[in-house]
Amino acid sequence: MFEFELIKECKETGARAGIFHTPHGDIETPVFMPVGTQATVKTMTPEELKECNAQIILSNTYHLYLRPGHELVKEAGGLHGFMKWDRPILTDSGGFQVFSLGDLRKIKEEGVEFRSHIDGSKHLFTPESVMEIENALGADIIMAFDECNPYPASYEYVKNSSDRTFRWLERCKAAHKREDQALFGIIQGGMYRDLREKSARDITSVDLPGYAIGGLSVGEPPEKMYEMLEYTTPLMPKGKPRYLMGVGAPENLIEGVIRGVDMFDCVLPTRIARNGTVFTKHGKLVIRNAEYARDFRPMEEGCQCYACRNYSRAYIRHLIKTGEVLGIRLTTIHNIHFLTNLMKEMRQAILEDRMAEFRQQFYKNLEVK
């Protein structure tokens, strides 16, 4: 039911082009997954996501458990039926959100006790309960419950945490009940090479359809993230998808792909869109700035997204400045389209053995304002 075909490896870099077969369709990799935390990519309809060539979207276990509840989603036909999305879906385990709660959570071997950020009510996430929730939500790809280490963190803390993540993965696999859902394990290890390598060996020793790299893009310098990827990806199975969690800046996607990563997700494109900022091949453009008040060009010349085909910078700036919802809908559409198109272009470059050249041109474009 789940099979990864490695179509091509770039001769000059570690970049890979593949196809991941799932019950709700094939995913061409490398791929960027827009984040739909509450079973919706903010401001976008499923039809608009498809027009932007989104192949798969991500939803959040923690938030959906609290509202509206996984049993209600199950009753609605799972996430696919609930949100009317017929392409693949991935759910994270809620681990990142739980560990972001700080003083509102307590970590034990059994799991994590936490208080809801909504009403302060007390809850317990264990590997077993997270599998029950994710099985009910019904996504194609589900993530094992793990502990996302903060940055910075001591060696001893990261070692104990990574070992616990491995034990939790074994419990997740034992509790996972659905063959039509692919369980991915998550490699941790913080910013320590030997712990990254140990975690990679441990996690990949459990036979699963795919594996993720967690605990990066948590505040460390980009160079440190790239260094950790260089240690980690060579230890991951070639014949299974590799997923770098929480990464979505265009330059990070380029560098991740170069280092052999297949899948990415991040809230960045939708978040900055709501602040009136868009990606372009020349870098970020802050559309709310006064200099665009009489600029009747599209947000990006040559872009084929719905927003750029139809509206000017001046109009979209006006919408943003006046608080009109259409403004952030248009900036969001552009940003999602920009990243999905970037991945499509990278895939083509890999197939044509010119990924190194593509990367060089990408950075050259950033220098042209």
Side-chain angles (χ1 to χ4, degrees):
M1 194 169 293
F2 293 94
E3 182 187 358
F4 180 70
E5 289 184 64
L6 182 57
I7 305 297
K8 182 71 179 271
E9 281 187 283
C10 180
K11 292 178 180 177
E12 299 177 302
T13 70
R16 297 143 47 101
I19 301 176
F20 189 43
H21 302 285
T22 82
H24 284 91
D26 294 344
I27 303 166
E28 293 188 341
T29 63
V31 63
F32 176 78
M33 302 180 285
V35 176
T37 301
Q38 310 270 15
T40 176
V41 177
K42 291 189 188 303
T43 79
M44 293 187 70
T45 66
E47 292 73 23
E48 288 166 340
L49 285 164
K50 288 179 179 179
E51 188 180 331
C52 289
N53 299 314
Q55 302 182 68
I56 172 175
I57 59 175
L58 181 149
S59 283
N60 182 260
T61 295
Y62 166 83
H63 288 284
L64 294 174
Y65 161 76
L66 292 176
R67 293 183 302 196
H70 57 291
E71 292 297 345
L72 186 149
V73 175
K74 182 179 180 180
E75 190 181 330
L79 278 173
H80 291 94
F82 191 46
M83 64 189 293
K84 301 302 178 188
W85 175 257
D86 58 7
R87 293 183 181 181
I89 299 174
L90 182 150
T91 46
D92 62 12
S93 69
F96 178 80
Q97 285 70 31
V98 168
F99 293 108
S100 298
L101 292 172
D103 294 339
L104 295 175
R105 54 100 171 124
K106 183 179 179 183
I107 305 168
K108 305 183 293 184
E109 185 63 28
E110 180 188 8
V112 182
E113 286 183 355
F114 64 94
R115 291 194 176 275
S116 164
H117 72 287
I118 300 167
D119 60 10
S121 56
K122 195 173 181 180
H123 304 267
L124 174 67
F125 267 10
T126 67
E128 292 77 13
S129 70
V130 166
M131 287 298 95
E132 179 188 345
I133 296 164
E134 291 197 85
N135 286 166
L137 293 174
D140 301 86
I141 303 169
I142 65 174
M143 305 307 298
F145 192 49
D146 69 320
E147 180 178 353
C148 182
N149 303 137
Y151 175 81
S154 71
Y155 185 91
E156 196 64 25
Y157 179 96
V158 175
K159 181 181 185 304
N160 291 335
S161 170
S162 297
D163 288 345
R164 186 187 300 113
T165 286
F166 176 47
R167 293 191 295 273
W168 283 356
L169 172 60
E170 294 180 309
R171 288 167 58 189
C172 283
K173 186 176 182 184
H176 177 39
K177 301 299 183 189
R178 292 181 56 169
E179 292 184 358
D180 62 342
Q181 292 181 296
L183 174 64
F184 280 26
I186 304 173
I187 296 165
Q188 292 290 344
M191 305 300 153
Y192 302 98
R193 176 173 181 168
D194 61 329
L195 296 183
R196 277 279 163 193
E197 293 175 346
K198 181 180 186 301
S199 181
R201 286 192 296 269
D202 287 345
I203 299 299
T204 59
S205 73
V206 180
D207 186 27
L208 298 168
Y211 302 93
I213 303 165
L216 294 178
S217 192
V218 291
E220 79 279 5
E223 298 73 25
K224 178 60 73 172
M225 176 171 68
Y226 304 151
E227 180 188 344
M228 292 301 110
L229 286 177
E230 284 164 11
Y231 299 150
T232 307
T233 53
L235 299 173
M236 301 173 75
K238 275 195 171 186
K240 295 185 178 181
R242 303 164 176 171
Y243 165 28
L244 176 57
M245 306 181 77
V247 169
E251 59 273 20
N252 294 162
L253 297 177
I254 294 268
E255 298 300 329
V257 167
I258 285 281
R259 289 163 175 81
V261 176
D262 306 303
M263 302 168 65
F264 305 81
D265 82 281
C266 196
V267 298
L268 182 66
T270 51
R271 179 172 290 168
I272 67 169
R274 295 194 299 278
N275 294 323
T277 301
V278 293
F279 296 126
T280 77
K281 65 182 179 182
H282 301 304
K284 289 178 185 174
L285 184 148
V286 184
I287 201 75
R288 63 169 56 248
N289 286 355
E291 63 187 291
Y292 303 118
R294 288 180 168 79
D295 191 335
F296 302 109
R297 296 175 295 169
M299 287 183 285
E300 180 165 32
E301 300 280 3
C303 176
Q304 292 303 304
C305 81
Y306 170 80
C308 288
R309 292 198 318 268
N310 291 282
Y311 302 104
S312 68
R313 297 177 181 185
Y315 179 63
I316 296 170
R317 177 184 183 272
H318 157 70
L319 296 175
I320 296 287
K321 295 293 284 184
T322 54
E324 289 291 341
V325 174
L326 180 58
I328 60 174
R329 278 175 40 72
L330 295 174
T331 53
T332 301
I333 286 169
H334 172 81
N335 281 349
I336 296 298
H337 180 275
F338 181 90
L339 292 187
T340 57
N341 192 59
L342 176 66
M343 305 311 283
K344 186 177 179 182
E345 290 177 345
M346 277 197 273
R347 179 183 169 82
Q348 194 60 38
I350 295 166
L351 293 173
E352 295 172 3
D353 281 318
R354 53 178 182 83
M355 186 59 201
E357 176 191 334
F358 182 90
R359 176 178 180 263
Q360 185 180 23
Q361 186 61 51
F362 172 83
Y363 286 112
K364 190 176 290 185
N365 287 339
L366 290 182
E367 296 170 5
V368 180
K369 290 293 184 181

